[in-house]
Amino acid sequence: MTVAPPEILTLDRIETPIGTALVVSDERAALRAFNWTDYESEMQIWVTKHYPKAKRQEGRGPLRGAFDAYFAGQLQAFDDMAWIGDGTAFQRQVWQALCTIPVGETLSYSGLAKRMGRPTAMRAVGLANGSNPVALVVPCHRVIGSGGALTGYGGGLHRKRWLLQHEGAYAGVRDAT
């Protein structure tokens, strides 16, 4: 699948209950990158590497309403949001598979690999999950360790815990020891 590179990227800073979110959208209102302000420098490097010709600007972006709605409790607010994750074919397959995990549910890395028809690819699935540039909308926070352990989230485990609680999926999840 070939997608035209963006000409303009807008960085919107959105206050949430768990910190300021950085939402990067293109001129077609597709999400291109997401992170938190404590990871801004890494995200800026990623955006520059993947979209070197795009003009960048800051301001209120077209996706703010959906993010505000999600954090206000409208958990389906991202269902129709367009997103473009620049990655390898395998990474994009993993990110598509993440989108099959419904709000209110979690899945292990092993379960995600099986869902993809690649039951021995748990580590590769985990690496691709961790490379997700459009987190939250592509719900990598819904992936947990085997046995229900709360593991790995680029935005920090405190945010992953909050997101799972917000979505009603935290019951049965345990902190990794």
Side-chain angles (χ1 to χ4, degrees):
M1 173 174 109
T2 304
V3 177
E7 293 180 22
I8 300 170
L9 294 174
T10 301
L11 169 63
D12 193 354
R13 297 171 186 276
I14 302 173
E15 295 302 320
T16 79
I18 51 176
T20 304
L22 303 172
V23 177
V24 178
S25 58
D26 66 19
E27 63 274 11
R28 293 176 295 278
L31 179 66
R32 293 286 185 145
F34 173 89
N35 219 317
W36 304 96
T37 53
D38 32 340
Y39 302 98
E40 183 168 2
S41 61
E42 293 91 338
M43 188 187 80
Q44 293 287 6
I45 291 167
W46 187 92
V47 168
T48 299
K49 177 182 175 186
H50 290 269
Y51 306 118
K53 295 181 181 179
K55 177 186 173 211
R56 292 194 270 170
Q57 62 188 24
E58 284 203 38
R60 187 178 181 93
L63 305 177
R64 179 181 285 249
F67 281 89
D68 287 344
Y70 172 83
F71 284 102
Q74 296 174 28
L75 303 177
Q76 311 302 325
F78 300 140
D79 284 359
D80 296 323
M81 184 179 291
W83 59 269
I84 298 169
D86 191 23
T88 68
F90 180 75
Q91 287 172 326
R92 290 191 308 271
Q93 288 174 350
V94 171
W95 302 335
Q96 287 291 339
L98 288 169
C99 292
T100 69
I101 307 170
V103 170
E105 294 182 21
T106 59
L107 191 63
S108 69
Y109 293 98
S110 173
L112 187 59
K114 287 175 187 168
R115 184 175 286 187
M116 294 177 60
R118 312 258 326 241
T120 61
M122 286 110 34
R123 287 195 177 127
V125 165
L127 288 171
N129 187 55
S131 299
N132 174 9
V134 287
L136 193 54
V137 172
V138 173
C140 54
H141 62 281
R142 295 182 191 149
V143 180
I144 59 173
S146 60
L150 185 69
T151 59
Y153 179 65
L157 288 181
H158 66 289
R159 288 190 178 110
K160 182 172 185 165
R161 185 179 301 108
W162 189 95
L163 292 167
L164 291 175
Q165 288 172 337
H166 182 61
E167 295 180 355
Y170 192 68
V173 175
R174 61 178 178 72
D175 288 342
T177 54

